[in-house]
Amino acid sequence: MNIDFSADATFSWYVVFLLVSGIAMLVMAAIGGGQSAGERLLNLAFGVGFLGYAVYLGFIFEGGEYFMFFYAFILPVLMLFRFVKAMFGERQSA
């Protein structure tokens, strides 16, 4: 396992954030919550991508260079806002 906060905290937190974001996006895709099929598909695709990259970095990666995707910090928050809006926005208008 490559997660070692004492050796490289930035890398370790990035892997943890990718894991949490990927799982959260997969849960949002599974629940649906009033989202369109396209939004659920985006949640699914990015969730699988984030989770897969986190597993790769955490368990397979043997050192060297890795890409830190900055959209990985922004996209889950945006998708969460869209999910909450889709879930609770319909209840208010009904």
Side-chain angles (χ1 to χ4, degrees), residues 9-91:
T10 303
F11 176 81
S12 299
W13 279 113
Y14 182 60
V15 172
V16 169
F17 185 77
L18 284 172
L19 280 168
V20 170
S21 296
I23 291 169
M25 293 180 88
L26 289 174
V27 168
M28 287 187 286
I31 293 173
Q35 292 181 316
S36 68
E39 289 173 326
R40 290 180 75 180
L41 186 61
L42 281 176
N43 273 329
L44 177 67
F46 283 110
V48 168
F50 287 1
L51 193 60
Y53 193 48
V55 168
Y56 167 74
L57 288 176
F59 297 101
I60 301 170
F61 184 66
E62 294 184 5
E65 291 186 24
Y66 63 94
F67 294 105
M68 187 173 285
F69 298 107
F70 290 104
Y71 70 83
F73 301 107
I74 299 167
L75 186 64
V77 174
L78 293 176
M79 296 301 275
L80 180 64
F81 283 139
R82 292 187 60 84
F83 175 77
V84 170
K85 183 179 176 184
M87 189 170 206
F88 295 110
E90 289 184 11
R91 291 183 183 169

